[in-house]
Amino acid sequence: SAVISQKPSRDICQRGTSLTIQCQVDSQVTMMFWYRQQPGQSLTLIATANQGSEATYESGFVIDKFPISRPNLTFSTLTVSNMSPEDSSIYLCSVAAQGNTEAFFGQGTRLTVV
Amino acid sequence: QKEVEQDPGPLSVPEGAIVSLNCTYSNSAFQYFMWYRQYSRKGPELLMYTYSSGNKEDGRFTAQVDKSSKYISLFIRDSQPSDSATYLCAMTPTGGFKTIFGAGTRLFVKA
């Protein structure tokens, strides 16, 4: 398994501002994923962060709103831009085991936009 | 129709009960099946992982996969108050990496 550290663990932000969430893994991984978990809901994949190339976004998520960086095989950031109260959610970083089957998660960032 | 269906509960049981959690799915390409446990204000924690059909046991937990019925289950024996959490099923297709999650079932085990 992988140990994933995510920062910040929570934040309260003003609408219209941006927040960058950091994800650090204790081993090199090919693929890192960013999920959103809205209150009472399951996990929705935002994008796959690939090292050395642009992130791949799922339907309904765009790079201008959720820019992602992946500078190396152990680190990624997700920025939530121009936030609105609808962005209030838990954001989770995840990595997949070899073979891309089991996924492991960080503790998540609980974001509240006021 | 969602790819993965899971009853959100909540499910409330007395301590010591056997708990059965279930998911159904529609995509026959799913080959890897996982159960995650998520405590309040925490990220999901991988609990059980099964490949294709069959059973897998780990302590008080048993995962079952019935691919013919597109149905997976997690059984918890001798449930404890510390088992109170949300349990999410998840599955990944062969050759793919996009894991699909169920909605999660909230479980309460009363002392």
Side-chain angles (χ1 to χ4, degrees):
Chain A
S1 65
V3 177
I4 303 167
S5 301
Q6 198 172 327
K7 293 192 297 186
S9 58
R10 61 175 60 203
D11 208 341
I12 300 173
C13 300
Q14 297 291 323
R15 69 176 66 200
T17 62
S18 298
L19 176 71
T20 295
I21 302 167
Q22 298 180 4
C23 180
Q24 179 76 51
V25 189
D26 68 342
S27 58
Q28 293 185 340
V29 293
T30 303
M31 305 180 82
M32 297 177 73
F33 306 91
W34 288 98
Y35 286 85
R36 181 174 72 184
Q37 187 176 30
Q38 294 181 304
Q41 303 295 315
S42 188
L43 285 74
T44 301
L45 181 63
I46 297 171
T48 303
N50 307 304
Q51 196 270 334
S53 64
E54 282 195 4
T56 304
Y57 289 84
E58 296 298 308
S59 175
F61 298 97
V62 296
I63 187 171
D64 289 348
K65 176 68 176 177
F66 297 101
I68 287 171
S69 78
R70 182 80 198 274
N72 56 54
L73 292 175
T74 64
F75 187 79
S76 178
T77 67
L78 170 75
T79 298
V80 185
S81 303
N82 188 24
M83 289 183 285
S84 66
E86 291 71 33
D87 294 319
S88 297
S89 188
I90 299 173
Y91 292 85
L92 293 149
C93 170
S94 170
V95 303
Q98 189 172 10
N100 297 325
T101 52
E102 308 150 78
F104 299 95
F105 289 86
Q107 292 286 57
T109 296
R110 183 177 293 271
L111 171 62
T112 303
V113 184
V114 297
Chain B
Q1 182 188 9
K2 293 181 182 178
E3 279 192 281
V4 179
E5 298 276 1
Q6 182 177 11
D7 187 339
L11 179 62
S12 183
V13 302
E15 183 176 359
I18 297 175
V19 176
S20 173
L21 304 168
N22 311 295
C23 288
T24 59
Y25 62 95
S26 57
N27 187 352
S28 58
F30 287 135
Q31 289 281 0
Y32 303 93
F33 303 91
M34 288 77 71
W35 285 95
Y36 289 85
R37 178 174 60 195
Q38 186 174 21
Y39 291 113
S40 179
R41 302 181 183 277
K42 300 289 187 182
E45 169 195 11
L46 181 64
L47 200 57
M48 298 285 284
Y49 162 72
T50 309
Y51 172 69
S52 194
S53 285
N55 296 356
K56 187 173 185 178
E57 187 173 321
D58 184 2
R60 296 185 295 112
F61 299 90
T62 299
Q64 286 186 352
V65 175
D66 182 349
K67 292 193 68 183
S68 63
S69 302
K70 297 190 177 66
Y71 187 87
I72 69 171
S73 300
L74 178 70
F75 297 96
I76 307 174
R77 292 181 297 281
D78 187 24
S79 56
Q80 304 294 310
S82 59
D83 295 327
S84 299
T86 297
Y87 290 81
L88 300 119
C89 64
M91 41 201 83
T92 309
T94 301
F97 59 86
K98 185 176 176 181
T99 299
I100 306 297
F101 288 84
T105 299
R106 292 183 66 192
L107 172 67
F108 296 96
V109 181
K110 299 174 292 185

